[in-house]
Amino acid sequence: MEDEDNNDQMSITPIHLKWMREAMAMAEEALAHSEVPVGCVFVRKNSIIARARNRTNELRNASRHAELEAIDLILADKELTPEPTRYPLEDTVLYVTVEPCIMCACALRQLGIKEVFYGCENDKFGGCGSVLGVNASVKHPVHPSYQATAGYLRDEAIMILRRFYVTENTNAPVPKQKTSRVLKTEIPPRIQT
C-alpha cells in the first residue's frame, strides 16, 4: 500500500493500520448504500466498541455523520457508558477515513476523546486543522484538546471519495448529471503545515 511506503513524516504502525482498515470497511458499506463514503471505529482497550458510517442520505439528516452515529451507540450502551461522566470518551481512540468536520471535531472535544487518527484531509469542512483546528489550536476554557493524526490509508480514503463523487447522487435534491466525469487516480502529496 502506497500510504505505508510514502509517509516519511510519521511512522505508520500495524495496529493503527488494522483499525483504519476497519474504518475503511465501514466507508465501503457507506458507498454501497449511496452515502458519502466515510466510516469510523471507536477503539477502547484494544477492542472496537462502536463502528459506523455516514447515514445522512438514508435518514435525510445532515447531522448523521459516521462519528455521531457511533457516539450515539456508545452513549446509549450502559456497558460502554455505565454512568454519566463529563468525558465519556477519555479512554477511547477514533479511527475515521476522513478528517472530522468542524461539527464532529467539536463533539469529540466536548466528549473528551483521547486521540483521533484519520485518512485524508477535509479541505472544505475539516475541524482538525484543514479549515479550523477545533481539536487543539482553538482554545477552550473547559474541554481538553486532543491529538489528531492524518495520513493513515490516505490514498484509499481519497479514492473511495472520488468513486462516490463521479457517480450521480440520486438522494440529492437536484441530482447533477455526471456522465462526463472521469475518475481521477492520481493522488497529490499531502501538504505539510
Side-chain angles (χ1 to χ4, degrees):
M1 292 193 183
E2 199 170 308
D3 281 321
E4 293 177 53
D5 299 329
N6 289 343
N7 208 322
D8 54 6
Q9 293 284 322
M10 62 186 209
S11 69
I12 303 279
T13 62
I15 192 68
H16 294 314
L17 287 174
K18 172 186 174 182
W19 301 130
M20 189 58 74
R21 285 188 185 101
E22 294 288 336
M24 284 301 300
M26 295 308 298
E28 288 287 351
E29 185 178 310
L31 181 65
H33 286 87
S34 301
E35 295 282 355
V36 175
V38 177
C40 71
V41 295
F42 282 77
V43 176
R44 184 182 292 164
K45 296 180 184 170
N46 206 28
S47 185
I48 294 174
I49 62 167
R51 60 180 77 229
R53 62 174 175 82
N54 273 4
R55 294 181 65 205
T56 57
N57 291 331
E58 176 184 341
L59 299 175
R60 298 195 184 285
N61 181 337
S63 72
R64 297 294 68 204
H65 290 193
E67 300 95 325
L68 297 181
E69 285 284 301
I71 287 169
D72 284 352
L73 295 171
I74 294 167
L75 296 179
D77 188 322
K78 294 301 179 198
E79 288 184 27
L80 297 174
T81 312
E83 57 188 57
T85 177
R86 182 175 208 157
Y87 298 119
L89 300 179
E90 67 187 342
D91 59 351
T92 308
V93 177
L94 168 64
Y95 294 85
V96 61
T97 57
V98 178
E99 175 185 2
C101 71
I102 294 168
M103 172 182 69
C104 292
C106 285
L108 292 165
R109 187 162 181 177
Q110 290 176 26
L111 295 169
I113 192 78
K114 181 179 180 180
E115 192 169 6
V116 173
F117 294 91
Y118 62 91
C120 64
E121 301 81 5
N122 183 342
D123 295 333
K124 293 186 179 183
F125 307 109
C128 293
S130 290
V131 175
L132 190 61
V134 172
N135 64 307
S137 64
V138 173
K139 302 296 180 214
H140 194 281
V142 177
H143 303 302
S145 63
Y146 60 89
Q147 177 68 38
T149 306
Y152 285 85
L153 300 184
R154 179 179 179 268
D155 292 1
E156 290 90 334
I158 290 171
M159 285 308 298
I160 195 170
L161 288 169
R162 286 182 179 177
R163 286 172 38 213
F164 174 78
Y165 285 115
V166 297
T167 63
E168 289 187 38
N169 181 356
T170 56
N171 295 311
V174 181
K176 296 179 183 175
Q177 295 296 318
K178 297 183 180 179
T179 54
S180 62
R181 290 206 176 173
V182 176
L183 179 64
K184 297 177 187 174
T185 58
E186 185 177 313
I187 307 285
R190 183 168 169 241
I191 298 171
Q192 300 295 322
T193 55

